[in-house]
Each structure stands twice: as structure tokens, then as C-alpha cells.
Amino acid sequence: MMNKSENKRTSYDLADILRDNKQAFSNRYNLFEQQEKAYNDICACRTSELKGHVAYCSSCNYQRQAYNSCRNKHCPKCQFTKQAKWVDKLQSKLIDCKHFHLVLTIPHQLNQLVYLNQRKLYDLLFQSAWQAVSKAADNPRFLGAQTGAVAVLHTWTQTLSQHPHIHMIIPSGGLSEDQMEWIPCINNFFAPKKVISSLFRGILCHYINQAIENNQLNMPENFHWQAVKYTLYKTRWNVNIEKPMSGISRIVEYLGKYTNRVAISNTRITSVGNGKVAFRYKDRKRLISKIMQLDSLEFIRRFMLHILPDNFYKIRYYGIMASANSKTKKQQVDALLESCVLIPEYDGLSAIEVYTLITGKDVSRCPKCGKGRMLCRALPGPET
């Protein structure tokens, strides 16, 4: 592989790293089916393998060739318009009030079990996080009302280590039991962190225990559930509640950072060569940016830890913000708060139309003459 520093390139591509090390990686590691699919999709993204098209001007002789995107949710090159459309749609689902950002993290003792049972345990992680929040909100000692949440699953740290956790955006209040009153939070949050942590731990451990008793999980070697459970109950699980945010636009901007993200973006990769990959990460304790260098195969192994199962929804809505309640409880809350419901701007638009609105660049107009429109014809696929 050519050393990119010698070629004076200033940016690097995850796809190049995967392609250059594909054979060596497959010789050393076995992948789950969804990991293998993601690996191949990212390698093929915007190459002749996925075919493509020629865009030509309707007015002059200008033309350009482009290959199709893989559209895999783990590809760093295929998330821009997806994220923009989701953030735009989110505005209509939020409550017009302050919101809290809650992060619930599971202890590292569960990492192996989670990795071998991703679909089942990520589902249980979502359920447990929401039930912990919902039970605390329903408790008359705290809020005593029905609340809601937008929940997003992340599985990584800045250094690509395995670190499953749930981000939740929660309104600072709830709907009364008779649905006739909006009850706002009096304190900073409607329940203490230790209460949420204790509920989250108990609910998730109960679900895991139930799944093990019903032989629904693949068990890691030398994993003894009773011993692990004893350790888990001696530990206070990490729950972080950040200061409330005001204004729907501020909340949407903030939450947009956490959605449709992949474990690492191409912009964080700083150098590739000599069997090494270096990338930028944030040191949360010191609040500074650092560079980490890994062997290429270790870098890929860490990235592949964060490939989610096919057709798995990593963004979910709960309570009064759930789709099932959009025409009932959500409408009632909007009426009680006398708030206007925002209409999604990008709903029904194509990716090109969304890109044009965001960037102000009309990619359908000829960049050479500035008058003609760019028309497309398909390229033939690669010969087999």
C-alpha cells in the first residue's frame, strides 16, 4: 500500500483501509453475517462494483462520472442526508419545553455477553432504560406523570472500544394521569440519578436472568452469570444527567450530533501507512484532543465491534413521544402547552434535493456553463 503521506493526501478513507487489509483480516478474524455485509458494502461504496451513472449537461459538452453509494448505515460516507432528514423530522415529535439529556451505560462485565447476543441484549438495553425512566416519572414521590423519550443506542468510545450506552432526550415534565394537565419538573430532574441507576440495573439484570433461564442467550466461555450478577449489584451503574436544554431548535441541533453516526468518521483519521492507522480522539477527562495509533487489523477489529444487526432500529421513541401516541397524548400535550407543531421541511424530498437545501449548492445545474441541467444515464456494471 502506498504511504499516503508520500502522496501528500490530507484526508483518508475508511474504505481504503478495509480494502487494503481485507485478506489479512479475514485470515485472522471471523465475522458475523451482518459484519461481513457491512465490510463488503463499505469497500464497494462509490466504486464500479455498485455500478453508477454519467451525468451530462443538457446545454454544453460537460460530463462527469459517479459511482453509486452503498447506503449502509455503518458507512461514514452515506449518512449526511439521512441525518439531516431525521433531525428535520424530529422537530415535529419534540415537546415544546426544556429537555434533559440522560446517558445510561452498562458495566464492562456485560460486554462479552452483549457482543454474542447483540439483537436480544440491545433490545433489552432499550427496554430497561425506558422502563427505569418511566417508573421514576410515574412515581408520585417524584414527577407523578407520564413522560416520553427519544433514545439512541451507541456502542463505542472515542477510541473505538466496546461501550454500549443509551442516550435519551427527555422532556422536563409529563402528562397527568387524567391527561388534563402538563406537570413540569420542579427540580433539575424529576428523579435522583441513584434512583434511575438502581432501577436500570435491577430491570436489565432481571431480563438477562430470565433470558439465561430460558436458554435464549449464547454464553461466553468462562462466563458465570451468578458471579457476574453479584458483582453488578455491588456496583452503581453509570447514569449521567446533563443540564436541561431550552428551545426545540437547540435540542434538535444537540441530538443531531448523536444520530446516524458511525463509530468513526473519515475526518478523524490522521494517517495511514506501514500497517498502522492513526486517528484523533477526545480525552474527556482532560478535555483535549489526542492521537491514537493502532495496527491496521486492530483498528478494523475495533470498528467491526460496532456493526449492528440488520434491520435493527438504533433510534426509538417512547411514552408520549411514541408514534402510537402522536395523534392522542402528543396532541393533547401540544394543546396544553399552546405550542405549534413544526412541519418537517425535508419530508418527501430526495437526497439531492435535501443536499441542495442544506448546502445551497444546486448539484443539478451544470458547473461548467451554469445554464444547463445535469442529466443522467446508467453506467454498465463491471464485467464478470
Side-chain angles (χ1 to χ4, degrees):
M1 179 178 66
M2 179 181 292
N3 188 318
K4 291 190 169 86
S5 61
E6 295 174 1
N7 202 28
K8 296 184 180 180
R9 286 184 55 177
T10 58
S11 61
Y12 301 90
D13 195 328
L14 174 66
D16 291 336
I17 299 169
L18 298 184
R19 280 191 290 264
D20 291 345
N21 295 278
K22 191 171 186 179
Q23 188 60 54
F25 188 81
S26 64
N27 289 342
R28 182 177 296 185
Y29 296 104
N30 294 320
L31 296 177
F32 295 140
E33 183 179 355
Q34 71 268 19
Q35 292 174 323
E36 188 170 357
K37 181 180 184 302
Y39 198 119
N40 292 332
D41 285 349
I42 296 170
C43 286
C45 189
R46 302 183 190 183
T47 70
S48 60
E49 189 174 341
L50 295 183
K51 302 183 182 180
H53 60 271
V54 173
Y56 59 95
C57 179
S58 61
S59 179
C60 68
N61 61 355
Y62 176 78
Q63 65 177 21
R64 64 179 178 226
Q65 180 175 299
Y67 293 114
N68 294 330
S69 301
C70 68
R71 300 184 180 181
N72 192 291
K73 62 186 176 184
H74 302 98
C75 177
K77 291 186 291 190
C78 293
Q79 308 307 314
F80 180 71
T81 55
K82 283 183 183 179
Q83 181 174 4
K85 292 185 76 171
W86 182 84
V87 166
D88 177 58
K89 188 176 181 179
L90 174 65
Q91 297 183 76
S92 64
K93 291 180 175 289
L94 290 174
I95 309 297
D96 190 10
C97 67
K98 291 182 178 180
H99 284 67
F100 296 96
H101 179 198
L102 182 69
V103 184
L104 303 98
T105 306
I106 63 172
H108 67 88
Q109 289 91 341
L110 290 173
N111 283 355
Q112 279 187 302
L113 186 67
V114 169
Y115 182 70
L116 293 177
N117 303 274
Q118 293 180 38
R119 185 180 296 276
K120 177 70 174 177
L121 287 189
Y122 287 153
D123 279 338
L124 294 183
L125 182 56
F126 269 115
Q127 291 178 40
S128 302
W130 166 241
Q131 287 182 27
V133 168
S134 180
K135 283 179 180 291
D138 286 341
N139 193 322
R141 291 173 51 205
F142 304 127
L143 184 63
Q146 306 170 60
T147 189
V150 182
V152 183
L153 171 70
H154 277 180
T155 64
W156 58 81
T157 65
Q158 282 271 305
T159 57
L160 302 183
S161 297
Q162 189 182 4
H163 184 66
H165 57 284
I166 298 283
H167 293 269
M168 301 186 90
I169 297 295
I170 303 168
S172 59
L175 190 61
S176 62
E177 187 175 354
D178 61 6
Q179 300 186 26
M180 297 302 292
E181 182 184 2
W182 176 258
I183 303 175
C185 290
I186 298 175
N187 300 317
N188 287 334
F189 191 62
F190 54 73
K193 283 198 300 185
K194 64 181 181 181
V195 171
I196 303 290
S197 175
S198 179
L199 284 169
F200 179 48
R201 178 183 61 196
I203 294 168
L204 183 56
C205 285
H206 168 74
Y207 279 138
I208 292 174
N209 196 75
Q210 196 174 57
I212 290 174
E213 287 180 351
N214 294 331
N215 296 317
Q216 295 175 333
L217 300 181
N218 298 313
M219 304 301 289
E221 291 184 9
N222 301 317
F223 183 89
H224 305 289
W225 169 239
Q226 293 304 322
V228 171
K229 184 169 68 171
Y230 176 78
T231 302
L232 295 176
Y233 270 99
K234 289 178 62 179
T235 306
R236 179 176 292 180
W237 290 20
N238 187 18
V239 171
N240 185 47
I241 304 171
E242 298 191 6
K243 292 181 180 179
M245 298 170 285
S246 300
I248 287 180
S249 59
R250 171 74 182 93
I251 299 160
V252 166
E253 178 187 357
Y254 185 84
L255 190 57
K257 300 175 183 177
Y258 292 96
T259 61
N260 297 97
R261 288 174 63 181
V262 297
I264 190 167
S265 63
N266 287 332
T267 56
R268 285 179 54 201
I269 302 173
T270 59
S271 68
V272 179
N274 300 319
K276 305 284 185 181
V277 177
F279 60 93
R280 189 182 305 106
Y281 73 97
K282 292 179 182 176
D283 185 328
R284 300 283 186 191
K285 292 182 179 180
R286 298 184 179 180
L287 299 177
I288 59 174
S289 181
K290 294 182 176 180
I291 301 295
M292 171 172 281
Q293 186 179 73
L294 297 173
D295 289 339
S296 297
L297 298 190
E298 173 60 13
F299 172 82
I300 297 172
R301 185 196 71 81
R302 291 194 187 190
F303 177 79
M304 299 310 292
L305 289 174
H306 311 295
I307 304 300
L308 297 176
D310 287 340
N311 301 314
F312 183 86
Y313 293 97
K314 69 174 184 177
I315 305 171
R316 304 186 185 188
Y317 302 87
Y318 292 100
I320 57 179
M321 300 170 75
S323 297
N325 293 323
S326 61
K327 297 186 182 300
T328 53
K329 295 178 181 179
K330 173 62 166 59
Q331 284 190 356
Q332 178 67 0
V333 170
D334 291 335
L336 290 170
L337 295 176
E338 299 181 348
S339 57
C340 297
V341 179
L342 299 174
I343 305 299
E345 182 182 2
Y346 303 148
D347 196 27
L349 299 183
S350 67
I352 291 178
E353 291 169 328
V354 172
Y355 182 84
T356 300
L357 284 174
I358 295 172
T359 63
K361 299 176 182 178
D362 185 358
V363 293
S364 65
R365 186 177 297 277
C366 177
K368 183 177 181 181
C369 69
K371 298 177 181 179
R373 312 304 292 182
M374 299 301 292
L375 307 176
C376 293
R377 65 170 182 269
L379 284 170
E383 295 183 4
T384 56

